[in-house]
Amino acid sequence: QLQLVETGGDSVQPGGSLNLSCAASGFTFDYYTIGWFRQAPGKEREGVSCISRSGRTTNYADSVKGRFTISRDNAKNTVYLQMSSLKPEDTAVYYCAATSFCTAKLPLDEYKYWGQGTQVTVSS
């Protein structure tokens, strides 16, 4: 059964750090780009970052550039999102999803195999 599972969400203070993981099973992981998305209460889901199959190509939303780093370990079927200098506006449910290509637009409708999400709360 094809599955993506996000873990690592937590509550942190502004300026803090978190590491999210997206573990995949049931499909050939290294055939797919993996993207991270987030959805804050009352807002639309938005793209955060993506990483290509090999890991050589990455893209980031302007709002997280320089603060978030995406990486992947194909041997472990896992993609990571290292988040630092967190801000209250980073508060959201974070999701990972799979697609064919990692493009800067991070188009939601081209992603499939979504995980269930993990909550990140940044608050003092």
Side-chain angles (χ1 to χ4, degrees):
Q1 181 179 355
L2 195 146
Q3 196 172 19
L4 289 169
V5 179
E6 304 93 337
T7 57
D10 205 345
S11 295
V12 297
Q13 293 188 342
S17 299
L18 278 177
N19 294 322
L20 305 185
S21 297
C22 170
S25 61
F27 64 101
T28 307
F29 182 71
D30 55 5
Y31 281 10
Y32 290 90
T33 280
I34 301 296
W36 281 99
F37 296 81
R38 66 186 181 185
Q39 188 165 17
K43 294 189 176 181
E44 293 186 351
R45 193 170 298 189
E46 64 176 0
V48 174
S49 182
C50 63
I51 187 166
S52 63
R53 292 171 287 181
S54 66
R56 285 194 288 268
T57 298
T58 58
N59 282 293
Y60 297 91
D62 287 343
S63 58
V64 306
K65 279 181 183 175
R67 301 188 298 121
F68 291 11
T69 302
I70 193 170
S71 60
R72 68 188 294 160
D73 184 341
N74 286 343
K76 294 183 178 180
N77 285 5
T78 302
V79 168
Y80 306 96
L81 186 68
Q82 294 176 277
M83 307 187 296
S84 61
S85 301
L86 284 162
K87 304 175 182 180
E89 51 263 44
D90 293 318
T91 295
V93 177
Y94 284 70
Y95 301 89
C96 61
T99 192
S100 298
F101 301 105
C102 177
T103 61
K105 285 188 176 181
L106 295 161
L108 270 73
D109 58 353
E110 294 183 11
Y111 281 77
K112 51 187 175 180
Y113 310 142
W114 291 82
Q116 84 292 343
T118 186
Q119 176 71 48
V120 172
T121 303
V122 185
S123 173
S124 55

